[in-house]
Amino acid sequence: MNRVFRIHTQEELQSLFGPHDQNLKAIEKEFKVKITLEGERLKISGTATNLKKAGNLVQHLLGLIQENKTAVAGPDLYCLIRNFKQKNPELAQQPALVTPPGISKSKSIGPKTKGQREYTEAIKDNDIVFGIGPAGTGKTYLAMASAVEALNKNQVRRIILTRPAIEAGESLGFLPGDMYEKISPYLRPLYDAIYDMMDAERIEKYLENGIVEVAPLAYMRGRTLNDAFIILDEAQNCTAEQMKMFLTRLGFDSKAVITGDITQSDLPQGKPIGLLQAKEILNGIEGIKFVYLTGADVVRHALVQKIIEAYDTAVH
């Protein structure tokens, strides 16, 4: 069976095929179809089921290209392929949380999988959300996008980003430099995420006047955080005492998102993991939502999902 699309311009063709025809090869491989070009006609051949899925994806890609005049590639293409294979094309229509400065709408930041959509909806609907899952599932990134969206809409007055300063086999006291230089490497991932979503000049201004604050978890003690969107990252490295301390910082008109991967705690052996304890104690309380992301929600190199699945299989 065949399905035919008309290509209007050379630029449209190049955007659809991608560099060195990478998009074309990925679609052919994942959907087990054959794509050929005959003049202005793009022909897709394959079984009825595969042809329908691949054809719907190509139609969607052409629509994006014609609307935004830009290519879709890399992780965005991978997520689209996965959603169309799993008959979840509606995920491709999810509204963006944030469109970074100078970036086209097709590159906007938003949920790309079913689990990620549940996660972002939970953040909108609840004051405290726990995002638990493996690396690459967008836990921190989507929380950050939700925070920027809330700030842009004047739903909060500031964003506070924090994480425990602990890593395997290291102590802050043995690191060179003053306290800021010691903690800076631990907070770098939070800076990286927010710089993806705002222009540098705006971030620097926000950091100066306290609209955006990035600090280690220890600096949260004794504070009441009103009218803020607070993100606690790497929460699997929180002790039970630290987790309780953080959760009781929440003030009026504030939201908190706690992210972590319970399989990768760097706490000393035998030390209770605050994230696990919170899961047991707080589950079922109205206004607090636990969202569990899995390998199916990974938005990184395709091998990352396979690595997570392999480890899960080996452990269980």
Side-chain angles (χ1 to χ4, degrees):
M1 296 184 68
N2 300 319
R3 188 168 173 182
V4 177
F5 295 89
R6 187 183 170 200
I7 305 297
H8 299 89
T9 66
Q10 186 65 25
E11 289 75 18
E12 190 174 298
L13 180 67
Q14 290 173 347
S15 296
L16 179 64
F17 278 29
H20 308 294
D21 295 346
Q22 288 177 354
N23 293 2
L24 178 74
K25 292 171 184 174
I27 294 169
E28 286 184 323
K29 179 183 176 184
E30 294 295 333
F31 292 99
K32 296 180 173 57
V33 294
K34 181 68 177 173
I35 301 177
T36 54
L37 185 66
E38 301 171 354
E40 296 180 345
R41 299 169 72 249
L42 184 79
K43 186 171 77 172
I44 308 176
S45 307
T47 63
T49 302
N50 292 344
L51 184 62
K52 182 178 180 181
K53 293 177 183 177
N56 288 344
L57 173 60
V58 168
Q59 186 175 40
H60 178 75
L61 289 173
L62 285 171
L64 287 176
I65 292 165
Q66 290 160 5
E67 179 185 352
N68 299 303
K69 308 298 181 188
T70 188
V72 178
D76 289 335
L77 178 66
Y78 170 67
C79 289
L80 283 172
I81 287 173
R82 185 166 60 185
N83 288 328
F84 276 85
K85 280 180 73 175
Q86 295 173 351
K87 298 182 180 178
N88 292 321
E90 73 281 358
L91 290 172
Q93 311 297 334
Q94 285 294 296
L97 295 171
V98 175
T99 300
I103 303 296
S104 70
K105 289 182 180 178
S106 69
K107 302 290 184 182
S108 295
I109 297 165
K112 292 179 170 61
T113 70
K114 214 168 188 177
Q116 289 186 350
R117 182 176 62 182
E118 180 189 350
Y119 180 48
T120 55
E121 287 175 353
I123 292 172
K124 281 186 171 70
D125 296 338
N126 297 272
D127 287 339
I128 296 178
V129 173
F130 288 80
I132 300 173
T137 51
K139 303 182 299 295
T140 304
Y141 210 65
L142 289 172
M144 191 75 75
S146 298
V148 172
E149 180 193 37
L151 185 66
N152 289 342
K153 291 181 175 179
N154 295 315
Q155 294 170 348
V156 296
R157 287 192 296 108
R158 54 184 174 151
I159 297 173
I160 298 172
L161 314 171
T162 186
R163 65 190 322 209
I166 178 173
E167 294 292 340
E170 288 189 300
S171 168
L172 285 175
F174 293 101
L175 293 176
D178 59 22
M179 179 53 71
Y180 178 79
E181 290 171 322
K182 288 174 187 288
I183 65 175
S184 186
Y186 298 96
L187 304 175
R188 188 73 254 170
L190 297 175
Y191 281 107
D192 289 344
I194 201 162
Y195 271 93
D196 276 356
M197 298 172 199
M198 292 186 198
D199 61 80
E201 186 178 341
R202 186 180 171 200
I203 293 172
E204 296 304 325
K205 181 182 174 184
Y206 281 178
L207 287 168
E208 280 180 23
N209 58 28
I211 292 176
V212 173
E213 179 184 347
V214 185
L217 180 59
Y219 286 25
M220 298 298 111
R221 190 173 297 279
R223 301 175 63 183
T224 300
L225 306 173
N226 293 315
D227 206 10
F229 196 116
I230 313 133
I231 299 172
L232 170 58
D233 191 33
E234 298 289 337
Q236 75 275 4
N237 289 330
C238 288
T239 64
E241 295 80 11
Q242 286 175 321
M243 180 61 74
K244 181 181 177 183
M245 179 274 291
F246 172 79
L247 292 171
T248 53
R249 298 309 92 203
L250 195 69
F252 292 108
D253 300 316
S254 289
K255 277 183 181 287
V257 178
I258 300 95
T259 72
D261 178 357
I262 53 178
T263 68
Q264 295 196 36
S265 176
D266 295 316
L267 288 173
Q269 192 72 29
K271 191 81 172 175
I273 299 173
L275 185 58
L276 280 174
Q277 189 188 71
K279 191 174 107 173
E280 294 168 4
I281 294 174
L282 304 177
N283 202 17
I285 295 179
E286 188 176 351
I288 300 177
K289 179 76 172 178
F290 287 81
V291 179
Y292 299 94
L293 299 161
T294 69
D297 301 302
V298 170
V299 183
R300 282 188 185 170
H301 193 290
L303 283 176
V304 174
Q305 184 178 4
K306 294 177 182 177
I307 289 168
I308 290 168
E309 290 169 353
Y311 270 94
D312 285 346
T313 301
V315 169
H316 297 109

